[in-house]
Amino acid sequence: MAELPVPELPAALSRCSGRFTISTLLSAEEGGRGPYAAAEGAGCDSAHPTHLSGSTLCTRTFGYNTVDVVPAYEHYANSKGVGDGGKGRPSLADLHSILKPDPGCLRTPVSDPQRSNGLPEAGPEEAAGEPGRAPVPEPVRFGWVKGVMIRCMLNIWGVILYLRLPWITAQAGIALTWLIILMSVTVTTITGLSISAISTNGKVKSGGTYFLISRSLGPELGGSIGLIFAFANAVAVAMHTVGFAETVRDLLQEHDSLIVDPTNDIRIIGVVTVTVLLGISLAGMEWEAKAQILFFLVILVSFINYLVGTVIPASAEKQAKGFFSYRADIFAQNFVPNWRGPEGSFFSLFSIFFPSATGILAGANISGDLKDPAVAIPKGTLMAIFWTTMSYLVLSATIGACVVRDASGSLNDSVAVGSPGCEGLACGFGWNFTACAQQQSCRYGLSNYYQSMSMVSGFGPLITAGIFGATLSSALACLVSAPKVFQCLCRDQLYPLIGFFGKGYGRNSEPIRGYMLTYFIAVGFILIAELNAIAPIISNFFLCSYALINFSCFHASITNSPGWRPSFRYYSKWAALFGAAISVVIMFLLTWWAALIAFGIVIFLLGYVLYKKPDVNWGSSMQASSYNMALNYSVGLSEVDEHIKNYRQGRLGACLVLTGPPNFRPALVDFVGTFTKNLSLMLCGNVLIGPWKQKVPESRLMADSHTRWLMKRKIKAFYTDVVAEDLRSGVQMLIQAAGLGKMRPNILVLGYKRNWQTASPQSLEDYVGILHDAFDFKYGVCLMRMKEGLNVSRVMQAHTDPAASAGEQQASTVFQSEQGKKTIDIYWLFDDGGLTLLIPYLLGRKKRWGKCKIRVFVGGQINRMDEERKATPKPPQIPFPGTVRLSCSIRRFNDLIAPFRLNDGFKDEATVNEMRQGCPWKISDEEVDKNRAKTLRQVRLNEILLDYSRDAALIAITLPIGRKGRCPSSLYMAWLETLSQDLRPPVILTRGNQENVLTFYCQ
């Protein structure tokens, strides 16, 4: 096949997105004169112009006229379900059906070739307004540097960097501090890779982490992660604010200007600070972004100031506080740990440090405010992790090489080098800190002074400014992230009582109510006023979130979810699994009881969503997982040998129920649904009789409505329909094609044909023929007869609003009510394999039928009773009366068959066949005479049923079989009518396929 020539494309017609490059092959001039251009001379690609919903689409594509349109981004931007077509894309019917001709090709708006290059069209907010009205202002959008990298770096560079990292270095030593940093970075990097994969899995909107996960992996995981992550960010606001307040408190303390006391000062300053930050957030994203840039520059200046300070020779004042510039012996001493106090352990320090690495999702949390989230989130997040990791490692190594662990801060402690009685590394530098070190009363040094970075720096106030910038920027980022995640969660209404917080205000839909909720949570934790107590709380919740994120991605990968197609090339499902596992392990190593509480909350939230089943459909991996599990188990059944005891669950126990529209025969649906629920497969079959072109649209239109009706009625069943010329051929299709593998039905359930005497003879022949077809395919058959009938369609149409959908019409039936202490009477007349006995037994195990007593009557000869009792534990036989009242019953039977008799006078078979030509349902005199004993049996059985089972809750009888080709359909239906007439309870006529479905033995 010759390839289409591809001309060189201008930059405007090409776009690279992930692994794909999207280009247009034709410009506007080559592809037509514009989106409204009509064809000249030639018609559309059919013989006549096509009429499409009142308009005609004639678009010139690749040199010829067609109703087809070129691929366009907007056709795929907002698909909510299968079958959602693009606005400008023709349907299959438009393309291949013969449609109503139109006088000519009308001009209809279609996709502009220039806009079909994979680039999104302008949204409604970007379009020009109506004449005389000002255009809607565009919302603020950020790139990967300003929107993600800087935001993540500011959130990572928080209070821990300035106020606790030097102290952690003193406690754990440089080596273990690096291990703590690298362990934290490993978890966050793997999580960053997973978030990058999720962000490249489809179009990203607002909602941040919650939106990314819920739309890719499902509401079950997304909801729990969203709530936990929003709460963790709200607490993080408190942590960073307390860090800021602690620094201000220390400054006040140095100048003897405390407001109240050290603890209450932190509370007062913290509450005032978070209130100011709330005001900045409420001012809008643009002001918040400007503040973040200012904070970023301040932090960079403070870092430079610190590094310059480490190489400046130490003054006497700084030496008194333990700073001696770079010294190899100081580095060596600080390289190993020196645990002190109740927090002097590896995992205690890890729990304090870990929140400083958790700002990696700050950019993803404002995904709705990014220009291109699929590019910005991976690039900005990973770059932020890299640069902040380098800064942590450098800071830990440099300060560990410059400052000793203990120093008094007193200039009077200077001594001559080598003075006797002096212990410690500082003695070699002319300082004696022995006394305070032994008494553990030193105020300075890495182990004691949280402001060591400020002391080391070239200009102390710049470090203070850096602390302010780091703490306030991180607090501000968390204050913005938490409400935006929570707002998206509230709008989806996965959980009750939170919808109030979903309302947005302004052009960016700011979650003002969410801001206020976050503010009050932060204030509550600020009142703790202890940084080392707040940090471990955050660590557990962030670790739990990261574990869930990584596990969710791993789950989507191993289930081969069709909706999981990330274009991020560096993602690995095994790395995601490792990240999830190490996060869980670290959680329990930090605080096992807090980990249990966190996972308890997650399990509760997950269970709630699974139980409530919210009405959302996002094509998640959980749905794909359900499909894959069902597929694997279905295929696996092919390797399982059938056994009698597996009748209920296996292939033998599935029912094909001829309900027609299920809401027309609710009693039949409820009956089968009751005994198949959680045990076996139920298929509701409907045969649409009529022309193919007329009935196929009806089938597509009504299938979803019938399925919704079954779901609302809580019936675990599938609905399927076929289009056929008549009922019998349609049922033959269903019998042959219904089911999958060994999950194929082998019981046909249908209603009794009440109008068989007045219906057309052909429909009577088809009805009995369906029973014969079922037996030919080795199906069991179950007929259901109710005194009031099964089809309620006329009653429903008379009492229901015509505009109401089928899915809303629910009729009550006897199978939905409690049966009380009645009886289920089983007349097991013939050995059919046990199906006559099994179905009522399964029905009796259900709650509504549980109080009913099961009575079994067995047909047979009286002289065989003792022999059969010895062989099997069968109940007594039916006590047939010695004298029966036959006259009325026989006369009634004769009246039934009278319209169908040939009245041939016992002529020979050839003559009878000639008389019955074209009327196979007619009954000859010889057939009446030969079957007199069988007729009499039905009459006697009906009398017994009236005598013994008049007040039963249900009557189950073995269905008699008429031999195919030998028993006319009218005679067979007369037998069934005679057998089941005048009975008040529902009557179930059942015949198995003559294969065992019961066994008395274990093997």
Side-chain angles (χ1 to χ4, degrees), residues 6 47 168 191 206 345 361 383 419 456 556 581 624 726 738 759 898 934 942 1002:
V6 182
I168 291 172
T191 307
S206 61
S345 66
L361 300 181
M383 288 296 289
S419 298
V456 170
D726 57 74
K934 197 167 186 177
N942 180 254
C1002 296

Side-chain angles (χ1 to χ4, degrees), residues 57-180:
L57 286 173
C58 295
T59 305
R60 184 174 180 269
T61 307
F62 295 116
Y64 66 94
N65 293 327
T66 175
V67 295
D68 260 334
V69 297
V70 294
Y73 174 91
E74 57 271 16
H75 295 171
Y76 302 90
N78 260 324
S79 294
K80 295 182 179 178
V82 177
D84 287 353
K87 295 180 181 178
R89 181 194 303 146
S91 68
L92 274 175
D94 296 334
L95 293 174
H96 77 93
S97 298
I98 300 176
L99 302 175
K100 180 181 177 181
D102 204 46
C105 288
L106 301 178
R107 296 188 177 188
T108 304
V110 296
S111 297
D112 186 345
Q114 286 185 323
R115 298 308 304 262
S116 301
N117 56 1
L119 298 174
E121 286 188 356
E125 70 273 14
E126 298 170 4
E130 297 178 5
R133 180 180 297 180
V136 179
E138 294 185 12
V140 179
R141 293 287 185 260
F142 305 113
W144 72 271
V145 175
K146 188 177 179 181
V148 181
M149 189 185 79
I150 291 178
R151 187 173 297 273
C152 287
M153 292 177 71
L154 287 171
N155 210 14
I156 295 171
W157 283 334
V159 60
I160 304 298
L161 170 68
Y162 288 96
L163 300 183
R164 291 298 183 271
L165 186 56
W167 173 76
I168 291 172
T169 304
Q171 289 266 5
I174 296 172
L176 292 184
T177 300
W178 276 37
L179 180 60
I180 289 173

Side-chain angles (χ1 to χ4, degrees), residues 386-404:
F386 174 77
W387 289 117
T388 53
T389 302
M390 292 297 102
S391 67
Y392 281 138
L393 295 175
V394 169
L395 191 149
S396 175
T398 54
I399 204 163
C402 296
V403 184
V404 296

Side-chain angles (χ1 to χ4, degrees), residues 12 32 77 221 239 278 295 325 397 465 467-468 532 546 603 641 718 725 781 827 865 873 886 928-929 939 980:
L221 293 169
M239 183 189 74
L278 176 65
F295 291 145
S325 296
I467 295 174
F468 289 174
N532 290 357
Y546 293 167
I603 292 171
D641 294 332
F718 298 96
E725 295 181 356
V781 172
Y827 291 82
M865 269 181 55
L886 294 177
V928 173
D929 187 63
V939 173
S980 58

Side-chain angles (χ1 to χ4, degrees), residues 591-611:
T591 315
W592 64 268
W593 56 266
L596 290 177
I597 292 174
F599 277 110
I601 294 172
V602 170
I603 292 171
F604 172 77
L605 296 173
L606 181 64
Y608 179 84
V609 176
L610 289 172
Y611 174 75

Side-chain angles (χ1 to χ4, degrees), residues 839-873:
I839 289 179
Y841 166 73
L842 294 177
L843 194 67
R845 294 178 62 186
K846 301 302 179 181
K847 183 178 179 180
R848 290 171 180 164
W849 298 77
K851 296 180 181 179
C852 293
K853 180 181 178 181
I854 296 180
R855 301 191 300 178
V856 182
F857 301 89
V858 179
Q861 298 178 3
I862 300 298
N863 57 7
R864 293 184 56 192
M865 269 181 55
D866 293 337
E867 179 182 346
E868 291 180 350
R869 274 181 176 172
K870 293 177 182 179
T872 58

Side-chain angles (χ1 to χ4, degrees), residues 410-559:
S410 174
L411 295 175
N412 297 327
D413 288 337
S414 62
V415 296
V417 176
S419 298
C422 184
E423 298 179 3
L425 192 61
C427 296
F429 309 131
W431 293 88
N432 184 3
F433 303 137
T434 306
C436 72
Q438 291 177 348
Q439 297 173 7
Q440 295 185 354
S441 61
C442 296
R443 290 184 56 195
Y444 296 94
L446 285 183
S447 297
N448 310 292
Y449 189 47
Y450 290 152
Q451 304 285 350
S452 295
M453 280 188 66
S454 179
M455 181 264 294
V456 170
S457 66
F459 183 60
L462 285 179
I463 296 297
T464 303
I467 295 174
F468 289 174
T471 53
L472 294 179
S473 65
S474 297
L476 189 58
C478 293
L479 186 57
V480 169
S481 297
K484 286 188 175 292
V485 172
F486 192 60
Q487 180 189 39
C488 187
L489 178 64
C490 294
R491 286 176 171 175
D492 288 335
Q493 299 182 342
L494 299 183
Y495 302 104
L497 307 178
I498 62 174
F500 172 80
F501 298 99
K503 182 175 176 59
Y505 297 86
R507 60 179 179 177
N508 275 40
S509 188
E510 295 293 342
I512 294 178
R513 295 174 180 177
Y515 282 134
M516 299 306 300
L517 178 63
T518 304
Y519 170 78
F520 286 115
I521 293 174
V523 168
F525 279 89
I526 286 172
L527 296 180
I528 296 175
E530 179 54 53
L531 187 62
N532 290 357
I534 300 174
I537 298 174
I538 301 173
S539 294
N540 254 295
F541 280 105
F542 274 118
L543 280 167
C544 184
S545 299
Y546 293 167
L548 288 171
I549 291 171
N550 286 307
F551 177 76
S552 302
C553 293
F554 172 74
H555 179 268
S557 300
I558 62 171
T559 55

Side-chain angles (χ1 to χ4, degrees), residues 790-848:
L790 291 173
N791 194 332
V792 299
S793 58
R794 292 184 179 178
V795 177
M796 293 176 64
Q797 291 170 0
H799 295 85
T800 307
D801 181 2
S805 66
E808 299 298 327
Q809 302 172 10
Q810 298 286 343
S812 60
T813 69
V814 65
F815 296 99
Q816 292 180 314
S817 58
E818 295 286 340
Q819 298 302 312
K821 296 183 179 180
K822 298 180 181 179
T823 62
I824 298 176
D825 290 351
I826 304 173
Y827 291 82
W828 196 8
L829 306 179
F830 309 102
D831 186 1
D832 64 341
L835 188 61
T836 303
L837 194 62
L838 179 61
I839 289 179
Y841 166 73
L842 294 177
L843 194 67
R845 294 178 62 186
K846 301 302 179 181
K847 183 178 179 180
R848 290 171 180 164

